Amino acid sequence: MKKKNIWKLLFITLLSINILVLLSLGTMLFLAVDQEPIPKTNVSTANMSEFLIRTEKQDLNALINHYIEKEGLDGPIHYRVLLTDEVELYGEVQVFSQSMYLKMTFEPQALENGDLILKQKSLSLGDVKLPVTYILKFIRDSYKLPDWVIIQPNDKQIYVSLQQMKLKSGIQVRVEEFSLVDDRIAMKMFVPVN
């Protein structure tokens, strides 16, 4: 009789541990994560000359991916960005020693202050279904991103604060128009004159 009770007790203990582990993982995946707020700064463009730059998706694609490579903005995921009718992020993630392909798409929105918001549209990570907030948090915590790129998992968006982007010689850039569907991309470049 005692031997049956021990096995029963061990089984219930093991079952309880499994349930606790599953509950813990579920809680970690679905809880809201801390995120950095959108900056409220408006950098002055006084004493600066303004230039309007128009470009196309193809040229901006080359520039973005060159910048990612040059600045070493990688981590556990090697990724690239492609501008089509939306912003697409492709990467490869190592999960349990197995490669999984990541694809995220975003809809860009130019803001009046010259910054850019990328609203998340779709997500695929191999055949695994994970919450978007979890993937964005993973990307935010795993990548070496510039200070002016703010991933906001709870809002399912990436805020690109061009006002905070530091360029040589004090040059500043603002988005004027960002219509990928029409292939119309315009930016203002402000160059100090004194």
Side-chain angles (χ1 to χ4, degrees):
M1 263 326 244
K2 288 185 180 184
K3 201 170 194 179
K4 279 189 177 183
N5 287 338
I6 289 174
W7 286 110
K8 190 184 225 183
L9 179 64
L10 289 174
F11 174 75
I12 292 173
T13 303
L14 183 60
L15 181 64
S16 299
I17 290 171
N18 285 335
I19 290 172
L20 284 174
V21 167
L22 288 175
L23 285 174
S24 298
L25 286 173
T27 303
M28 287 181 356
L29 286 176
F30 294 106
L31 274 182
V33 294
D34 292 336
Q35 68 183 21
E36 191 176 334
I38 292 174
K40 301 288 184 203
T41 59
N42 268 333
V43 179
S44 173
T45 55
N47 298 324
M48 298 184 121
S49 291
E50 179 181 319
F51 297 92
L52 184 63
I53 301 168
R54 294 196 182 275
T55 189
E56 296 174 343
K57 292 184 276 194
Q58 180 180 351
D59 295 327
L60 196 52
N61 273 329
L63 179 66
I64 290 169
N65 287 301
H66 174 74
Y67 182 80
I68 290 169
E69 184 179 316
K70 182 182 173 205
E71 294 297 318
L73 300 176
D74 56 4
I77 303 173
H78 300 288
Y79 67 100
R80 66 183 175 89
V81 174
L82 179 64
L83 303 178
T84 58
D85 286 349
E86 54 201 8
V87 178
E88 299 176 0
L89 180 131
Y90 293 92
E92 192 175 328
V93 183
Q94 291 293 324
V95 180
F96 302 118
S97 302
Q98 184 178 10
S99 290
M100 298 182 82
Y101 293 100
L102 168 72
K103 178 185 178 188
M104 296 184 81
T105 60
F106 299 89
E107 182 180 329
Q109 296 175 346
L111 302 177
E112 287 183 27
N113 66 0
D115 290 345
L116 191 65
I117 286 185
L118 303 175
K119 295 272 188 188
Q120 194 272 328
K121 282 182 67 177
S122 68
L123 163 75
S124 63
L125 179 63
D127 295 330
V128 179
K129 303 292 184 214
L130 291 173
V132 172
T133 53
Y134 178 77
I135 297 294
L136 286 174
K137 181 185 180 313
F138 175 77
I139 291 171
R140 181 192 68 192
D141 295 343
S142 300
Y143 284 112
K144 175 188 166 192
L145 295 170
D147 294 340
W148 45 273
V149 175
I150 302 163
I151 295 181
Q152 299 181 302
N154 295 340
D155 297 330
K156 298 178 183 172
Q157 69 183 19
I158 298 175
Y159 188 88
V160 182
S161 181
L162 294 172
Q163 294 182 65
Q164 294 184 338
M165 184 171 65
K166 305 284 188 254
L167 295 174
K168 291 181 180 179
S169 304
I171 295 173
Q172 298 176 20
V173 177
R174 305 281 187 278
V175 172
E176 183 73 15
E177 180 180 19
F178 207 87
S179 175
L180 294 177
V181 174
D182 300 323
D183 202 8
R184 287 195 327 255
I185 301 167
M187 298 185 183
K188 287 185 181 177
M189 182 172 71
F190 298 92
V191 180
V193 292
N194 52 347

